[in-house]
PDB file of all heavy atoms in Angstrom:
ATOM      1  N   ALA A  16      26.561  -5.158   1.889  1.00  0.00           N
ATOM      2  CA  ALA A  16      26.615  -4.104   2.916  1.00  0.00           C
ATOM      3  C   ALA A  16      28.064  -3.920   3.392  1.00  0.00           C
ATOM      4  O   ALA A  16      28.521  -2.785   3.606  1.00  0.00           O
ATOM      5  CB  ALA A  16      25.694  -4.434   4.101  1.00  0.00           C
ATOM      6  N   ARG A  17      28.781  -5.010   3.604  1.00  0.00           N
ATOM      7  CA  ARG A  17      30.180  -4.906   4.079  1.00  0.00           C
ATOM      8  C   ARG A  17      31.026  -4.247   2.995  1.00  0.00           C
ATOM      9  O   ARG A  17      31.897  -3.449   3.310  1.00  0.00           O
ATOM     10  CB  ARG A  17      30.722  -6.296   4.399  1.00  0.00           C
ATOM     11  CG  ARG A  17      30.189  -6.828   5.707  1.00  0.00           C
ATOM     12  CD  ARG A  17      30.730  -8.179   5.993  1.00  0.00           C
ATOM     13  NE  ARG A  17      30.231  -8.691   7.262  1.00  0.00           N
ATOM     14  CZ  ARG A  17      30.644  -9.838   7.807  1.00  0.00           C
ATOM     15  NH1 ARG A  17      31.534 -10.596   7.157  1.00  0.00           N
ATOM     16  NH2 ARG A  17      30.148 -10.223   8.935  1.00  0.00           N
ATOM     17  N   TYR A  18      30.854  -4.681   1.735  1.00  0.00           N
ATOM     18  CA  TYR A  18      31.602  -4.069   0.636  1.00  0.00           C
ATOM     19  C   TYR A  18      31.328  -2.572   0.540  1.00  0.00           C
ATOM     20  O   TYR A  18      32.234  -1.736   0.451  1.00  0.00           O
ATOM     21  CB  TYR A  18      31.208  -4.768  -0.690  1.00  0.00           C
ATOM     22  CG  TYR A  18      31.916  -4.178  -1.893  1.00  0.00           C
ATOM     23  CD1 TYR A  18      33.222  -4.566  -2.236  1.00  0.00           C
ATOM     24  CD2 TYR A  18      31.289  -3.252  -2.716  1.00  0.00           C
ATOM     25  CE1 TYR A  18      33.840  -4.037  -3.338  1.00  0.00           C
ATOM     26  CE2 TYR A  18      31.933  -2.712  -3.802  1.00  0.00           C
ATOM     27  CZ  TYR A  18      33.231  -3.103  -4.133  1.00  0.00           C
ATOM     28  OH  TYR A  18      33.845  -2.540  -5.232  1.00  0.00           O
ATOM     29  N   ASN A  19      30.021  -2.206   0.618  1.00  0.00           N
ATOM     30  CA  ASN A  19      29.667  -0.809   0.549  1.00  0.00           C
ATOM     31  C   ASN A  19      30.211   0.001   1.729  1.00  0.00           C
ATOM     32  O   ASN A  19      30.682   1.153   1.548  1.00  0.00           O
ATOM     33  CB  ASN A  19      28.163  -0.646   0.499  1.00  0.00           C
ATOM     34  CG  ASN A  19      27.595  -1.065  -0.828  1.00  0.00           C
ATOM     35  OD1 ASN A  19      28.261  -1.044  -1.831  1.00  0.00           O
ATOM     36  ND2 ASN A  19      26.316  -1.480  -0.817  1.00  0.00           N
ATOM     37  N   ALA A  20      30.260  -0.580   2.912  1.00  0.00           N
ATOM     38  CA  ALA A  20      30.821   0.104   4.052  1.00  0.00           C
ATOM     39  C   ALA A  20      32.355   0.326   3.875  1.00  0.00           C
ATOM     40  O   ALA A  20      32.869   1.390   4.173  1.00  0.00           O
ATOM     41  CB  ALA A  20      30.591  -0.728   5.329  1.00  0.00           C
ATOM     42  N   GLN A  21      33.034  -0.670   3.319  1.00  0.00           N
ATOM     43  CA  GLN A  21      34.467  -0.508   3.033  1.00  0.00           C
ATOM     44  C   GLN A  21      34.679   0.596   2.018  1.00  0.00           C
ATOM     45  O   GLN A  21      35.556   1.447   2.199  1.00  0.00           O
ATOM     46  CB  GLN A  21      35.048  -1.814   2.480  1.00  0.00           C
ATOM     47  CG  GLN A  21      35.402  -2.850   3.484  1.00  0.00           C
ATOM     48  CD  GLN A  21      36.006  -4.044   2.806  1.00  0.00           C
ATOM     49  OE1 GLN A  21      35.438  -4.637   1.882  1.00  0.00           O
ATOM     50  NE2 GLN A  21      37.199  -4.425   3.252  1.00  0.00           N
ATOM     51  N   MET A  22      33.855   0.608   1.000  1.00  0.00           N
ATOM     52  CA  MET A  22      34.011   1.603  -0.058  1.00  0.00           C
ATOM     53  C   MET A  22      33.666   2.996   0.432  1.00  0.00           C
ATOM     54  O   MET A  22      34.264   3.969   0.028  1.00  0.00           O
ATOM     55  CB  MET A  22      33.198   1.226  -1.274  1.00  0.00           C
ATOM     56  CG  MET A  22      33.712   0.015  -2.026  1.00  0.00           C
ATOM     57  SD  MET A  22      35.473   0.105  -2.404  1.00  0.00           S
ATOM     58  CE  MET A  22      35.629   1.678  -3.149  1.00  0.00           C
ATOM     59  N   SER A  23      32.677   3.061   1.293  1.00  0.00           N
ATOM     60  CA  SER A  23      32.237   4.354   1.816  1.00  0.00           C
ATOM     61  C   SER A  23      33.390   5.113   2.477  1.00  0.00           C
ATOM     62  O   SER A  23      33.515   6.339   2.301  1.00  0.00           O
ATOM     63  CB  SER A  23      31.107   4.139   2.853  1.00  0.00           C
ATOM     64  OG  SER A  23      30.651   5.365   3.306  1.00  0.00           O
ATOM     65  N   GLU A  24      34.237   4.410   3.193  1.00  0.00           N
ATOM     66  CA  GLU A  24      35.409   5.067   3.828  1.00  0.00           C
ATOM     67  C   GLU A  24      36.344   5.602   2.765  1.00  0.00           C
ATOM     68  O   GLU A  24      36.927   6.651   2.952  1.00  0.00           O
ATOM     69  CB  GLU A  24      36.169   4.035   4.694  1.00  0.00           C
ATOM     70  CG  GLU A  24      35.358   3.600   5.885  1.00  0.00           C
ATOM     71  CD  GLU A  24      36.067   2.468   6.679  1.00  0.00           C
ATOM     72  OE1 GLU A  24      37.308   2.282   6.507  1.00  0.00           O
ATOM     73  OE2 GLU A  24      35.401   1.808   7.448  1.00  0.00           O
ATOM     74  N   GLN A  25      36.482   4.866   1.657  1.00  0.00           N
ATOM     75  CA  GLN A  25      37.405   5.277   0.600  1.00  0.00           C
ATOM     76  C   GLN A  25      36.910   6.468  -0.212  1.00  0.00           C
ATOM     77  O   GLN A  25      37.704   7.277  -0.703  1.00  0.00           O
ATOM     78  CB  GLN A  25      37.705   4.107  -0.323  1.00  0.00           C
ATOM     79  CG  GLN A  25      38.332   2.923   0.340  1.00  0.00           C
ATOM     80  CD  GLN A  25      39.759   3.147   0.728  1.00  0.00           C
ATOM     81  OE1 GLN A  25      40.468   3.934   0.104  1.00  0.00           O
ATOM     82  NE2 GLN A  25      40.195   2.493   1.784  1.00  0.00           N
ATOM     83  N   ILE A  26      35.605   6.571  -0.432  1.00  0.00           N
ATOM     84  CA  ILE A  26      35.030   7.517  -1.343  1.00  0.00           C
ATOM     85  C   ILE A  26      34.518   8.767  -0.717  1.00  0.00           C
ATOM     86  O   ILE A  26      34.286   9.773  -1.427  1.00  0.00           O
ATOM     87  CB  ILE A  26      33.957   6.862  -2.235  1.00  0.00           C
ATOM     88  CG1 ILE A  26      32.752   6.413  -1.393  1.00  0.00           C
ATOM     89  CG2 ILE A  26      34.539   5.715  -3.035  1.00  0.00           C
ATOM     90  CD1 ILE A  26      31.614   5.845  -2.155  1.00  0.00           C
ATOM     91  N   SER A  27      34.291   8.767   0.563  1.00  0.00           N
ATOM     92  CA  SER A  27      33.679   9.958   1.184  1.00  0.00           C
ATOM     93  C   SER A  27      34.525  11.199   1.064  1.00  0.00           C
ATOM     94  O   SER A  27      33.966  12.304   0.887  1.00  0.00           O
ATOM     95  CB  SER A  27      33.369   9.669   2.678  1.00  0.00           C
ATOM     96  OG  SER A  27      34.557   9.421   3.369  1.00  0.00           O
ATOM     97  N   ASN A  28      35.841  11.050   1.076  1.00  0.00           N
ATOM     98  CA  ASN A  28      36.701  12.229   0.901  1.00  0.00           C
ATOM     99  C   ASN A  28      36.679  12.812  -0.488  1.00  0.00           C
ATOM    100  O   ASN A  28      37.165  13.895  -0.743  1.00  0.00           O
ATOM    101  CB  ASN A  28      38.166  11.910   1.346  1.00  0.00           C
ATOM    102  CG  ASN A  28      38.784  10.815   0.473  1.00  0.00           C
ATOM    103  OD1 ASN A  28      38.104  10.049  -0.179  1.00  0.00           O
ATOM    104  ND2 ASN A  28      40.102  10.799   0.458  1.00  0.00           N
ATOM    105  N   LEU A  29      36.079  12.049  -1.451  1.00  0.00           N
ATOM    106  CA  LEU A  29      35.947  12.534  -2.823  1.00  0.00           C
ATOM    107  C   LEU A  29      34.554  13.183  -3.051  1.00  0.00           C
ATOM    108  O   LEU A  29      34.234  13.531  -4.175  1.00  0.00           O
ATOM    109  CB  LEU A  29      36.136  11.399  -3.842  1.00  0.00           C
ATOM    110  CG  LEU A  29      37.542  10.775  -3.858  1.00  0.00           C
ATOM    111  CD1 LEU A  29      37.534   9.494  -4.718  1.00  0.00           C
ATOM    112  CD2 LEU A  29      38.543  11.741  -4.338  1.00  0.00           C
ATOM    113  N   GLY A  30      33.749  13.254  -1.949  1.00  0.00           N
ATOM    114  CA  GLY A  30      32.416  13.761  -2.065  1.00  0.00           C
ATOM    115  C   GLY A  30      31.417  12.776  -2.664  1.00  0.00           C
ATOM    116  O   GLY A  30      30.362  13.178  -3.151  1.00  0.00           O
ATOM    117  N   LEU A  31      31.774  11.513  -2.620  1.00  0.00           N
ATOM    118  CA  LEU A  31      30.923  10.489  -3.194  1.00  0.00           C
ATOM    119  C   LEU A  31      30.273   9.684  -2.094  1.00  0.00           C
ATOM    120  O   LEU A  31      30.802   9.593  -0.995  1.00  0.00           O
ATOM    121  CB  LEU A  31      31.707   9.508  -4.072  1.00  0.00           C
ATOM    122  CG  LEU A  31      32.387  10.093  -5.336  1.00  0.00           C
ATOM    123  CD1 LEU A  31      33.192   9.007  -6.033  1.00  0.00           C
ATOM    124  CD2 LEU A  31      31.351  10.621  -6.302  1.00  0.00           C
ATOM    125  N   ASN A  32      29.131   9.093  -2.422  1.00  0.00           N
ATOM    126  CA  ASN A  32      28.541   8.105  -1.553  1.00  0.00           C
ATOM    127  C   ASN A  32      28.393   6.808  -2.405  1.00  0.00           C
ATOM    128  O   ASN A  32      28.783   6.795  -3.567  1.00  0.00           O
ATOM    129  CB  ASN A  32      27.179   8.549  -1.000  1.00  0.00           C
ATOM    130  CG  ASN A  32      26.169   8.879  -2.085  1.00  0.00           C
ATOM    131  OD1 ASN A  32      26.238   8.364  -3.184  1.00  0.00           O
ATOM    132  ND2 ASN A  32      25.268   9.819  -1.780  1.00  0.00           N
ATOM    133  N   THR A  33      27.865   5.787  -1.810  1.00  0.00           N
ATOM    134  CA  THR A  33      27.780   4.502  -2.533  1.00  0.00           C
ATOM    135  C   THR A  33      26.999   4.595  -3.813  1.00  0.00           C
ATOM    136  O   THR A  33      27.395   4.077  -4.832  1.00  0.00           O
ATOM    137  CB  THR A  33      27.130   3.447  -1.615  1.00  0.00           C
ATOM    138  OG1 THR A  33      27.936   3.314  -0.419  1.00  0.00           O
ATOM    139  CG2 THR A  33      27.112   2.062  -2.242  1.00  0.00           C
ATOM    140  N   LEU A  34      25.886   5.282  -3.819  1.00  0.00           N
ATOM    141  CA  LEU A  34      25.058   5.406  -5.011  1.00  0.00           C
ATOM    142  C   LEU A  34      25.771   6.163  -6.115  1.00  0.00           C
ATOM    143  O   LEU A  34      25.773   5.757  -7.260  1.00  0.00           O
ATOM    144  CB  LEU A  34      23.702   6.068  -4.681  1.00  0.00           C
ATOM    145  CG  LEU A  34      22.786   6.300  -5.890  1.00  0.00           C
ATOM    146  CD1 LEU A  34      22.607   5.038  -6.742  1.00  0.00           C
ATOM    147  CD2 LEU A  34      21.475   6.859  -5.453  1.00  0.00           C
ATOM    148  N   LYS A  35      26.386   7.259  -5.759  1.00  0.00           N
ATOM    149  CA  LYS A  35      27.125   8.037  -6.782  1.00  0.00           C
ATOM    150  C   LYS A  35      28.259   7.192  -7.346  1.00  0.00           C
ATOM    151  O   LYS A  35      28.526   7.231  -8.556  1.00  0.00           O
ATOM    152  CB  LYS A  35      27.715   9.318  -6.169  1.00  0.00           C
ATOM    153  CG  LYS A  35      26.668  10.364  -5.798  1.00  0.00           C
ATOM    154  CD  LYS A  35      27.367  11.544  -5.214  1.00  0.00           C
ATOM    155  CE  LYS A  35      26.497  12.531  -4.523  1.00  0.00           C
ATOM    156  NZ  LYS A  35      27.250  13.612  -3.895  1.00  0.00           N
ATOM    157  N   MET A  36      28.975   6.436  -6.489  1.00  0.00           N
ATOM    158  CA  MET A  36      30.037   5.554  -6.944  1.00  0.00           C
ATOM    159  C   MET A  36      29.465   4.482  -7.900  1.00  0.00           C
ATOM    160  O   MET A  36      30.061   4.252  -9.000  1.00  0.00           O
ATOM    161  CB  MET A  36      30.733   4.868  -5.763  1.00  0.00           C
ATOM    162  CG  MET A  36      31.775   3.881  -6.152  1.00  0.00           C
ATOM    163  SD  MET A  36      32.291   2.804  -4.760  1.00  0.00           S
ATOM    164  CE  MET A  36      30.830   1.818  -4.498  1.00  0.00           C
ATOM    165  N   ARG A  37      28.353   3.894  -7.561  1.00  0.00           N
ATOM    166  CA  ARG A  37      27.759   2.855  -8.414  1.00  0.00           C
ATOM    167  C   ARG A  37      27.341   3.454  -9.743  1.00  0.00           C
ATOM    168  O   ARG A  37      27.536   2.883 -10.815  1.00  0.00           O
ATOM    169  CB  ARG A  37      26.584   2.169  -7.756  1.00  0.00           C
ATOM    170  CG  ARG A  37      26.998   1.239  -6.701  1.00  0.00           C
ATOM    171  CD  ARG A  37      25.880   0.282  -6.244  1.00  0.00           C
ATOM    172  NE  ARG A  37      24.631   0.940  -5.983  1.00  0.00           N
ATOM    173  CZ  ARG A  37      23.993   0.939  -4.820  1.00  0.00           C
ATOM    174  NH1 ARG A  37      24.512   0.301  -3.790  1.00  0.00           N
ATOM    175  NH2 ARG A  37      22.842   1.562  -4.669  1.00  0.00           N
ATOM    176  N   ALA A  38      26.779   4.667  -9.708  1.00  0.00           N
ATOM    177  CA  ALA A  38      26.345   5.348 -10.955  1.00  0.00           C
ATOM    178  C   ALA A  38      27.558   5.619 -11.825  1.00  0.00           C
ATOM    179  O   ALA A  38      27.534   5.340 -13.035  1.00  0.00           O
ATOM    180  CB  ALA A  38      25.608   6.606 -10.621  1.00  0.00           C
ATOM    181  N   LEU A  39      28.613   6.143 -11.258  1.00  0.00           N
ATOM    182  CA  LEU A  39      29.843   6.421 -12.059  1.00  0.00           C
ATOM    183  C   LEU A  39      30.451   5.115 -12.587  1.00  0.00           C
ATOM    184  O   LEU A  39      30.905   5.069 -13.735  1.00  0.00           O
ATOM    185  CB  LEU A  39      30.902   7.148 -11.211  1.00  0.00           C
ATOM    186  CG  LEU A  39      30.564   8.613 -10.905  1.00  0.00           C
ATOM    187  CD1 LEU A  39      31.658   9.209  -9.982  1.00  0.00           C
ATOM    188  CD2 LEU A  39      30.440   9.429 -12.160  1.00  0.00           C
ATOM    189  N   ALA A  40      30.381   4.055 -11.797  1.00  0.00           N
ATOM    190  CA  ALA A  40      30.908   2.737 -12.256  1.00  0.00           C
ATOM    191  C   ALA A  40      30.119   2.293 -13.461  1.00  0.00           C
ATOM    192  O   ALA A  40      30.726   1.867 -14.511  1.00  0.00           O
ATOM    193  CB  ALA A  40      30.813   1.694 -11.137  1.00  0.00           C
ATOM    194  N   VAL A  41      28.814   2.353 -13.449  1.00  0.00           N
ATOM    195  CA  VAL A  41      27.985   1.952 -14.573  1.00  0.00           C
ATOM    196  C   VAL A  41      28.266   2.842 -15.760  1.00  0.00           C
ATOM    197  O   VAL A  41      28.477   2.339 -16.861  1.00  0.00           O
ATOM    198  CB  VAL A  41      26.474   1.978 -14.197  1.00  0.00           C
ATOM    199  CG1 VAL A  41      25.606   1.746 -15.445  1.00  0.00           C
ATOM    200  CG2 VAL A  41      26.162   0.921 -13.116  1.00  0.00           C
ATOM    201  N   LEU A  42      28.317   4.165 -15.530  1.00  0.00           N
ATOM    202  CA  LEU A  42      28.538   5.085 -16.634  1.00  0.00           C
ATOM    203  C   LEU A  42      29.905   4.938 -17.236  1.00  0.00           C
ATOM    204  O   LEU A  42      30.146   5.306 -18.388  1.00  0.00           O
ATOM    205  CB  LEU A  42      28.331   6.534 -16.140  1.00  0.00           C
ATOM    206  CG  LEU A  42      26.894   6.914 -15.762  1.00  0.00           C
ATOM    207  CD1 LEU A  42      26.872   8.249 -15.089  1.00  0.00           C
ATOM    208  CD2 LEU A  42      25.980   6.864 -16.973  1.00  0.00           C
ATOM    209  N   SER A  43      30.859   4.416 -16.479  1.00  0.00           N
ATOM    210  CA  SER A  43      32.218   4.177 -17.032  1.00  0.00           C
ATOM    211  C   SER A  43      32.231   3.042 -18.025  1.00  0.00           C
ATOM    212  O   SER A  43      33.138   2.907 -18.796  1.00  0.00           O
ATOM    213  CB  SER A  43      33.195   3.936 -15.915  1.00  0.00           C
ATOM    214  OG  SER A  43      33.115   2.648 -15.387  1.00  0.00           O
TER     215      SER A  43
END
């Protein structure tokens, strides 16, 4: 949860949320 909260701040300006980020990470 802490990791996701940190990442949420970084990715929100890209139009991403935690799930979208995880999906892109897996797809990469």
Side-chain angles (χ1 to χ4, degrees):
R17 287 179 178 184
Y18 178 83
N19 288 334
Q21 280 182 305
M22 290 310 309
S23 182
E24 293 174 19
Q25 300 288 331
I26 63 177
S27 62
N28 62 339
L29 297 171
L31 297 176
N32 59 26
T33 302
L34 176 53
K35 291 179 192 177
M36 176 194 67
R37 286 194 312 240
L39 288 177
V41 172
L42 293 172
S43 76

